[in-house]
Amino acid sequence: MTVTTVTGNRTAAPPGGGAPGLVVVAHGSRDPRALSTVRALLDRVRALRPALPVHLGHVELNEPLLPDTLAALGDGAAVLVPLLLSRGHHVKRDIPETAALSPARTRVAAPLGPHPLLVDALHARLTEAGWPAHPGPGHAVVLASAGSRDPESRADTARTAALLAARLGVPVVPAYASAATPTVPQAVRTLTTRGHRHVAVAACFTAPGRFATECAAAAPWITSAPLGTHPSMARLLLHRYDEAVKAGSDLKSGAMATP
């Protein structure tokens, strides 16, 4: 999935052909662990690509807020990569509208999910929590995510659940902490009713916070940690950045970008 939004008539390609900066756009959280986790993830991104300027902006709740990050860039070029796991209001409206109001020359990349690298991180976190190498017919997973009223967000989460199910070889049911159903307890009950005695909860959250804590509390067996600083998350941020840069180059050369 490549979702590249041009803000206004501006392009993210900087003068002289240099690479645009990367602005990672996090949601923000009142949980202090979230900010420290996101900062550590950005350090991993910088380690993978030391020459790339990497910045952080938040939609709400934490500083720096995205408008302040973009203002500090002046009229520089940047690709905004949402540290979000599906499409939804923030990806489709809030982030592009904020970018369009800034003097920076920007392009908004796709959210992180669905993607095989996201599944790599989910699988690894489940394994760390005690998921067996060879699960049996009594095993199943609830994929716990934040939730959204946007049907495209739910479709993305369902696609991630399907990719994880294919990886694990067991049923994976998407569930939500808010704004959508089923909830995690409802999904757990559904799987238990179907005869699954070992139901794990996979935390499809980028960092610790209220939703991750509430979903973990509903787990009848093991629950994985948020995705956090897993190496695949850093690689996925750079992959979405590269996709957006390439889409901008294709547009400039007359090719059609993938919506």
Side-chain angles (χ1 to χ4, degrees):
M1 175 183 64
T2 302
V3 179
T4 307
T5 303
V6 180
T7 58
N9 295 317
R10 293 169 291 189
T11 172
L22 165 60
V23 176
V24 176
V25 186
H27 182 277
S29 172
R30 292 183 176 87
D31 190 319
R33 297 174 297 170
L35 180 56
S36 61
T37 299
V38 171
R39 285 175 171 164
L41 175 60
L42 265 61
D43 286 341
R44 280 193 176 271
V45 173
R46 295 183 181 104
L48 288 173
R49 201 168 295 185
L52 177 64
V54 179
H55 311 275
L56 173 62
H58 291 93
V59 175
E60 59 183 359
L61 298 175
N62 291 124
E63 295 181 349
L65 292 171
L66 181 58
D68 298 328
T69 298
L70 294 177
L73 294 177
D75 63 353
V79 171
L80 280 59
V81 180
L83 187 59
L84 301 169
L85 304 179
S86 65
R87 291 169 291 177
H89 188 80
H90 292 315
V91 171
K92 293 158 66 174
R93 296 288 301 275
D94 291 341
I95 296 173
E97 288 176 2
T98 299
L101 294 174
S102 80
R105 290 169 290 115
T106 57
R107 185 171 295 275
V108 180
L112 301 188
H115 194 274
L117 284 170
L118 178 59
V119 175
D120 287 347
L122 287 164
H123 187 188
R125 292 296 190 230
L126 277 170
T127 300
E128 292 167 0
W131 183 260
H134 303 288
H139 289 81
V141 173
V142 172
L143 182 68
S145 66
S148 171
R149 293 182 179 87
D150 190 316
E152 288 187 322
S153 175
R154 296 194 295 275
D156 288 345
T157 303
R159 177 58 179 157
T160 297
L163 291 171
L164 184 59
R167 177 75 60 88
L168 299 176
V170 303
V172 178
V173 175
Y176 307 96
S178 69
T181 56
T183 65
V184 171
Q186 288 170 341
V188 167
R189 284 195 296 270
T190 295
L191 288 168
T192 301
T193 300
R194 293 174 184 171
H196 297 285
R197 295 177 293 107
H198 300 290
V199 179
V201 173
C204 195
F205 302 103
T206 57
R210 179 170 64 89
F211 286 164
T213 300
E214 290 175 354
C215 291
W221 181 41
I222 61 172
T223 184
S224 62
L227 301 167
T229 59
H230 189 274
S232 291
M233 295 294 286
R235 291 167 56 204
L236 183 49
L237 282 167
L238 287 170
H239 174 72
R240 292 304 194 203
Y241 168 87
D242 291 338
E243 281 184 331
V245 170
K246 183 180 185 301
S249 298
D250 288 345
L251 284 170
K252 289 171 62 184
S253 65
M256 181 67 71
T258 303

mmCIF file of all heavy atoms in Angstrom, residues 169-190:
data_model
loop_
_atom_site.group_PDB
_atom_site.id
_atom_site.type_symbol
_atom_site.label_atom_id
_atom_site.label_comp_id
_atom_site.label_asym_id
_atom_site.label_seq_id
_atom_site.Cartn_x
_atom_site.Cartn_y
_atom_site.Cartn_z
ATOM 1 N N GLY A 169 -0.066 -19.483 11.216
ATOM 2 C CA GLY A 169 -0.807 -20.710 10.946
ATOM 3 C C GLY A 169 -1.939 -20.966 11.913
ATOM 4 O O GLY A 169 -2.351 -22.115 12.106
ATOM 5 N N VAL A 170 -2.459 -19.893 12.543
ATOM 6 C CA VAL A 170 -3.591 -20.007 13.472
ATOM 7 C C VAL A 170 -4.561 -18.867 13.180
ATOM 8 O O VAL A 170 -4.199 -17.879 12.538
ATOM 9 C CB VAL A 170 -3.124 -19.929 14.947
ATOM 10 C CG1 VAL A 170 -2.090 -21.012 15.246
ATOM 11 C CG2 VAL A 170 -2.586 -18.549 15.279
ATOM 12 N N PRO A 171 -5.808 -18.973 13.681
ATOM 13 C CA PRO A 171 -6.739 -17.858 13.498
ATOM 14 C C PRO A 171 -6.262 -16.601 14.227
ATOM 15 O O PRO A 171 -5.760 -16.677 15.358
ATOM 16 C CB PRO A 171 -8.042 -18.381 14.112
ATOM 17 C CG PRO A 171 -7.901 -19.867 14.117
ATOM 18 C CD PRO A 171 -6.446 -20.141 14.321
ATOM 19 N N VAL A 172 -6.423 -15.466 13.586
ATOM 20 C CA VAL A 172 -6.122 -14.161 14.186
ATOM 21 C C VAL A 172 -7.336 -13.269 13.966
ATOM 22 O O VAL A 172 -7.735 -13.014 12.828
ATOM 23 C CB VAL A 172 -4.869 -13.511 13.586
ATOM 24 C CG1 VAL A 172 -4.634 -12.128 14.206
ATOM 25 C CG2 VAL A 172 -3.642 -14.390 13.787
ATOM 26 N N VAL A 173 -7.921 -12.792 15.055
ATOM 27 C CA VAL A 173 -9.124 -11.960 14.990
ATOM 28 C C VAL A 173 -8.752 -10.520 15.350
ATOM 29 O O VAL A 173 -8.192 -10.281 16.431
ATOM 30 C CB VAL A 173 -10.198 -12.484 15.961
ATOM 31 C CG1 VAL A 173 -11.406 -11.543 15.984
ATOM 32 C CG2 VAL A 173 -10.615 -13.903 15.577
ATOM 33 N N PRO A 174 -9.048 -9.552 14.483
ATOM 34 C CA PRO A 174 -8.790 -8.160 14.850
ATOM 35 C C PRO A 174 -9.780 -7.680 15.899
ATOM 36 O O PRO A 174 -10.963 -8.055 15.877
ATOM 37 C CB PRO A 174 -8.969 -7.401 13.531
ATOM 38 C CG PRO A 174 -9.871 -8.258 12.717
ATOM 39 C CD PRO A 174 -9.593 -9.681 13.121
ATOM 40 N N ALA A 175 -9.305 -6.868 16.840
ATOM 41 C CA ALA A 175 -10.159 -6.312 17.887
ATOM 42 C C ALA A 175 -9.653 -4.917 18.214
ATOM 43 O O ALA A 175 -8.536 -4.546 17.851
ATOM 44 C CB ALA A 175 -10.160 -7.199 19.136
ATOM 45 N N TYR A 176 -10.482 -4.152 18.928
ATOM 46 C CA TYR A 176 -10.212 -2.719 19.050
ATOM 47 C C TYR A 176 -10.408 -2.227 20.477
ATOM 48 O O TYR A 176 -11.278 -2.691 21.205
ATOM 49 C CB TYR A 176 -11.141 -1.951 18.103
ATOM 50 C CG TYR A 176 -11.047 -2.472 16.687
ATOM 51 C CD1 TYR A 176 -11.963 -3.412 16.203
ATOM 52 C CD2 TYR A 176 -10.021 -2.064 15.849
ATOM 53 C CE1 TYR A 176 -11.860 -3.916 14.912
ATOM 54 C CE2 TYR A 176 -9.910 -2.561 14.556
ATOM 55 C CZ TYR A 176 -10.821 -3.486 14.090
ATOM 56 O OH TYR A 176 -10.707 -3.989 12.827
ATOM 57 N N ALA A 177 -9.584 -1.240 20.826
ATOM 58 C CA ALA A 177 -9.674 -0.638 22.152
ATOM 59 C C ALA A 177 -10.743 0.435 22.221
ATOM 60 O O ALA A 177 -11.212 0.778 23.312
ATOM 61 C CB ALA A 177 -8.320 -0.052 22.552
ATOM 62 N N SER A 178 -11.117 0.999 21.070
ATOM 63 C CA SER A 178 -12.131 2.055 21.050
ATOM 64 C C SER A 178 -12.703 2.189 19.648
ATOM 65 O O SER A 178 -12.096 1.736 18.668
ATOM 66 C CB SER A 178 -11.524 3.401 21.482
ATOM 67 O OG SER A 178 -10.630 3.870 20.491
ATOM 68 N N ALA A 179 -13.878 2.805 19.558
ATOM 69 C CA ALA A 179 -14.483 3.283 18.305
ATOM 70 C C ALA A 179 -14.916 2.197 17.328
ATOM 71 O O ALA A 179 -15.491 2.507 16.294
ATOM 72 C CB ALA A 179 -13.532 4.254 17.585
ATOM 73 N N ALA A 180 -14.639 0.929 17.611
ATOM 74 C CA ALA A 180 -15.014 -0.144 16.694
ATOM 75 C C ALA A 180 -15.168 -1.438 17.484
ATOM 76 O O ALA A 180 -14.718 -1.564 18.628
ATOM 77 C CB ALA A 180 -13.970 -0.304 15.592
ATOM 78 N N THR A 181 -15.810 -2.388 16.859
ATOM 79 C CA THR A 181 -15.984 -3.705 17.468
ATOM 80 C C THR A 181 -15.464 -4.765 16.514
ATOM 81 O O THR A 181 -15.374 -4.534 15.301
ATOM 82 C CB THR A 181 -17.470 -3.970 17.787
ATOM 83 O OG1 THR A 181 -18.241 -3.828 16.587
ATOM 84 C CG2 THR A 181 -17.980 -3.016 18.835
ATOM 85 N N PRO A 182 -15.115 -5.958 17.053
ATOM 86 C CA PRO A 182 -15.262 -6.365 18.449
ATOM 87 C C PRO A 182 -14.197 -5.766 19.353
ATOM 88 O O PRO A 182 -13.120 -5.396 18.900
ATOM 89 C CB PRO A 182 -15.085 -7.889 18.378
ATOM 90 C CG PRO A 182 -14.146 -8.082 17.225
ATOM 91 C CD PRO A 182 -14.539 -7.042 16.219
ATOM 92 N N THR A 183 -14.514 -5.684 20.632
ATOM 93 C CA THR A 183 -13.509 -5.330 21.624
ATOM 94 C C THR A 183 -12.616 -6.547 21.862
ATOM 95 O O THR A 183 -12.926 -7.660 21.425
ATOM 96 C CB THR A 183 -14.155 -4.917 22.942
ATOM 97 O OG1 THR A 183 -14.845 -6.059 23.492
ATOM 98 C CG2 THR A 183 -15.148 -3.768 22.733
ATOM 99 N N VAL A 184 -11.526 -6.351 22.571
ATOM 100 C CA VAL A 184 -10.645 -7.477 22.875
ATOM 101 C C VAL A 184 -11.372 -8.546 23.693
ATOM 102 O O VAL A 184 -11.301 -9.737 23.345
ATOM 103 C CB VAL A 184 -9.364 -6.995 23.573
ATOM 104 C CG1 VAL A 184 -8.532 -8.175 24.091
ATOM 105 C CG2 VAL A 184 -8.526 -6.155 22.611
ATOM 106 N N PRO A 185 -12.097 -8.189 24.767
ATOM 107 C CA PRO A 185 -12.829 -9.247 25.489
ATOM 108 C C PRO A 185 -13.825 -9.992 24.609
ATOM 109 O O PRO A 185 -13.988 -11.219 24.749
ATOM 110 C CB PRO A 185 -13.527 -8.482 26.621
ATOM 111 C CG PRO A 185 -12.670 -7.274 26.841
ATOM 112 C CD PRO A 185 -12.189 -6.893 25.477
ATOM 113 N N GLN A 186 -14.504 -9.284 23.723
ATOM 114 C CA GLN A 186 -15.456 -9.948 22.834
ATOM 115 C C GLN A 186 -14.753 -10.929 21.903
ATOM 116 O O GLN A 186 -15.226 -12.046 21.679
ATOM 117 C CB GLN A 186 -16.220 -8.907 22.012
ATOM 118 C CG GLN A 186 -17.238 -8.114 22.813
ATOM 119 C CD GLN A 186 -17.808 -6.934 22.039
ATOM 120 O OE1 GLN A 186 -17.221 -6.470 21.045
ATOM 121 N NE2 GLN A 186 -18.948 -6.431 22.487
ATOM 122 N N ALA A 187 -13.610 -10.506 21.348
ATOM 123 C CA ALA A 187 -12.867 -11.386 20.445
ATOM 124 C C ALA A 187 -12.325 -12.612 21.183
ATOM 125 O O ALA A 187 -12.334 -13.725 20.648
ATOM 126 C CB ALA A 187 -11.725 -10.610 19.793
ATOM 127 N N VAL A 188 -11.872 -12.405 22.419
ATOM 128 C CA VAL A 188 -11.396 -13.530 23.220
ATOM 129 C C VAL A 188 -12.524 -14.529 23.453
ATOM 130 O O VAL A 188 -12.342 -15.751 23.310
ATOM 131 C CB VAL A 188 -10.818 -13.029 24.565
ATOM 132 C CG1 VAL A 188 -10.614 -14.200 25.516
ATOM 133 C CG2 VAL A 188 -9.507 -12.278 24.340
ATOM 134 N N ARG A 189 -13.697 -14.018 23.786
ATOM 135 C CA ARG A 189 -14.838 -14.920 24.030
ATOM 136 C C ARG A 189 -15.206 -15.685 22.766
ATOM 137 O O ARG A 189 -15.526 -16.883 22.828
ATOM 138 C CB ARG A 189 -16.041 -14.117 24.540
ATOM 139 C CG ARG A 189 -15.921 -13.696 25.993
ATOM 140 C CD ARG A 189 -17.264 -13.241 26.545
ATOM 141 N NE ARG A 189 -17.756 -12.045 25.870
ATOM 142 C CZ ARG A 189 -17.483 -10.808 26.268
ATOM 143 N NH1 ARG A 189 -16.690 -10.597 27.314
ATOM 144 N NH2 ARG A 189 -17.985 -9.769 25.615
ATOM 145 N N THR A 190 -15.165 -15.037 21.628
ATOM 146 C CA THR A 190 -15.488 -15.705 20.367
ATOM 147 C C THR A 190 -14.535 -16.863 20.105
ATOM 148 O O THR A 190 -14.965 -17.980 19.758
ATOM 149 C CB THR A 190 -15.416 -14.706 19.205
ATOM 150 O OG1 THR A 190 -16.430 -13.706 19.384
ATOM 151 C CG2 THR A 190 -15.632 -15.398 17.869
#
